[in-house]
Amino acid sequence: MNIMKFNRSIFPADSVEKYFETYLCQIEKLYHDFSKMPERQTIYFLSEKEFKKLLKNPQKIKEATAYIVYEVYNRFQFLFFTNLFKLLKYIESLIYSWNSQNYLGWVLFGRAVIELCAVFNYFDQKLNKYDLLRTDFTHEEISNIENILIQYSHGTRFDWNALIEGDFEKLKQEFEAKGEFRQATNVLTTIDKLKKLGPAFHDVRTVYDILSDYAHPNMGSHSIFIDLPHKIQDPMPNHLSLNVNQQRGEFIIVTSLVQITICLTYCGHLLQELAKVLKVWGGYSEDKTFSIRFKDTIAVLKKK
């Protein structure tokens, strides 16, 4: 993978050193470290119906335990690799936007980074209630973990089946998700939960709202194409420009870079923690047995 870097000559050297350098180095390090991961991964899922059928059949559970564990493991992989790939592509997009002085692109991708971090954290908190590094679970716990992972993978606000089938008339009348799809979690709910993590995220909702105003066709998005004046005068000229001056670009970066870096870094932390879960569920833990407890029986998987 080609390692990308921020162009340090876009802004004055003293500004870069004082306001930006620490955060740019952190983002570049994240990109360098995580770009070493595989760029492709093939994953197989059991259908939700088949999975529930296995869990409800204690007579066959001993022979089906491997399928159950492997299914959940694959869904953990899906959580890991989708967030990994998004992290890398968002960083690439931020670097490209910075280097090309495309500040509209910067705010769009910066806003998306906050959403990525918030949603990843939301599902991480839900899953961590089950102490995922264990190898002994009740079948109810396994079912709940699977449901959370399906909510992550299939959460949407759109009826994709109708679109795939070409039923546009149906979509005109109703396009909400249904069937095997789940209603997507409201992103503002996840951002508000992210804010509660600690002081580092105290300003996350404020910065998100600023980036949203930049991203939407509001006053913020207009200002991305108006040079920041060197001095205040009356009347104040508005110099519209496809590529705004250095001062406007610096203003946009200053208001957003710190929180974007914090969110990217936390995504990296969540990926590292999830990698530990993958080792356990993938059979690489020191404990080579995996148990699923039912009311009248215990199914044990011996990992080789």
Side-chain angles (χ1 to χ4, degrees):
M1 180 179 287
N2 181 34
I3 301 300
M4 301 174 64
K5 285 185 171 292
F6 291 98
N7 181 352
R8 302 310 203 266
S9 66
I10 298 293
F11 301 109
D14 58 338
S15 292
V16 172
E17 182 63 30
K18 184 176 181 180
Y19 300 112
F20 304 146
E21 184 63 22
T22 298
Y23 306 106
L24 301 184
C25 287
Q26 177 62 22
I27 295 174
E28 288 172 344
K29 184 178 186 305
L30 283 168
Y31 185 77
H32 178 266
D33 291 346
F34 283 103
S35 63
K36 297 174 183 177
M37 298 294 295
E39 294 185 11
R40 302 182 67 85
Q41 185 74 359
T42 301
I43 296 172
Y44 297 95
F45 294 142
L46 290 174
S47 70
E48 189 173 357
K49 181 179 179 181
E50 183 65 22
F51 186 80
K52 289 181 177 179
K53 183 179 178 182
L54 288 175
L55 281 177
K56 289 180 179 179
N57 193 343
Q59 284 73 35
K60 292 186 177 181
I61 198 64
K62 291 186 178 181
E63 59 190 70
T65 306
Y67 291 101
I68 294 171
V69 174
Y70 188 61
E71 160 68 8
V72 178
Y73 168 60
N74 274 331
R75 291 198 179 274
F76 279 132
Q77 286 194 91
F78 187 84
L79 178 64
F80 180 87
F81 281 100
T82 52
N83 281 285
L84 168 67
F85 294 158
K86 289 175 187 179
L87 175 77
L88 291 172
K89 285 302 179 183
Y90 282 150
I91 292 177
E92 287 180 2
S93 299
L94 287 169
I95 293 174
Y96 179 80
S97 295
W98 170 290
N99 290 348
S100 63
Q101 300 175 64
N102 179 355
Y103 302 113
L104 179 59
W106 174 271
V107 300
L108 290 172
F109 291 116
R111 181 174 182 266
V113 162
I114 293 177
E115 292 180 341
L116 175 72
C117 181
V119 173
F120 196 0
N121 171 70
Y122 175 82
F123 283 98
D124 178 75
Q125 288 191 349
K126 290 176 76 72
L127 288 166
N128 279 340
K129 294 177 182 178
Y130 295 96
D131 186 12
L132 301 174
L133 299 182
R134 291 182 290 147
T135 55
D136 185 285
F137 294 85
T138 67
H139 77 283
E140 290 91 351
E141 289 174 325
I142 292 288
S143 181
N144 290 340
I145 291 169
E146 173 84 349
N147 284 332
I148 292 169
L149 292 168
I150 291 175
Q151 172 66 30
Y152 169 77
S153 62
H154 284 69
T156 182
R157 298 192 181 281
F158 195 76
D159 186 354
W160 287 94
N161 282 338
L163 178 63
I164 293 170
E165 293 166 1
D167 194 344
F168 298 109
E169 292 303 318
K170 181 181 178 181
L171 285 175
K172 290 177 184 178
Q173 299 173 14
E174 184 180 7
F175 59 84
E176 291 293 329
K178 58 180 65 68
E180 73 270 27
F181 297 106
R182 312 291 180 86
Q183 282 294 319
T185 304
N186 186 292
V187 72
L188 294 180
T189 299
T190 67
I191 291 173
D192 288 338
K193 284 186 177 295
L194 185 63
K195 183 177 179 179
K196 296 177 181 178
L197 279 183
F201 294 98
H202 181 268
D203 298 325
V204 68
R205 180 62 189 270
T206 300
V207 174
Y208 180 77
D209 288 343
I210 292 171
L211 293 177
S212 293
D213 207 69
Y214 276 134
H216 298 153
N218 299 334
M219 189 180 86
S221 69
H222 310 330
S223 70
I224 291 176
F225 299 97
I226 303 175
D227 286 342
L228 196 67
H230 296 286
K231 63 178 182 178
I232 303 299
Q233 62 186 76
D234 190 22
M236 179 65 70
N238 290 283
H239 300 297
L240 302 178
S241 176
L242 176 63
N243 300 297
V244 288
N245 62 7
Q246 193 178 73
Q247 289 76 19
R248 174 62 72 187
E250 191 171 341
F251 177 82
I252 293 170
I253 300 298
V254 165
T255 60
S256 58
L257 177 61
V258 174
Q259 198 65 67
I260 289 172
T261 305
I262 290 171
C263 286
L264 287 171
T265 303
Y266 192 63
C267 284
H269 166 73
L270 293 178
L271 285 170
Q272 290 174 328
E273 293 302 302
L274 186 53
K276 298 175 185 177
V277 176
L278 292 179
K279 285 186 177 181
V280 172
W281 288 75
Y284 305 106
S285 63
E286 293 180 3
D287 188 346
K288 300 299 182 182
T289 63
F290 207 107
S291 304
I292 303 177
R293 288 181 281 115
F294 292 80
K295 183 178 180 180
D296 300 316
T297 185
I298 298 178
V300 178
L301 172 64
K302 293 284 186 180
K303 295 180 179 178
K304 296 181 179 179

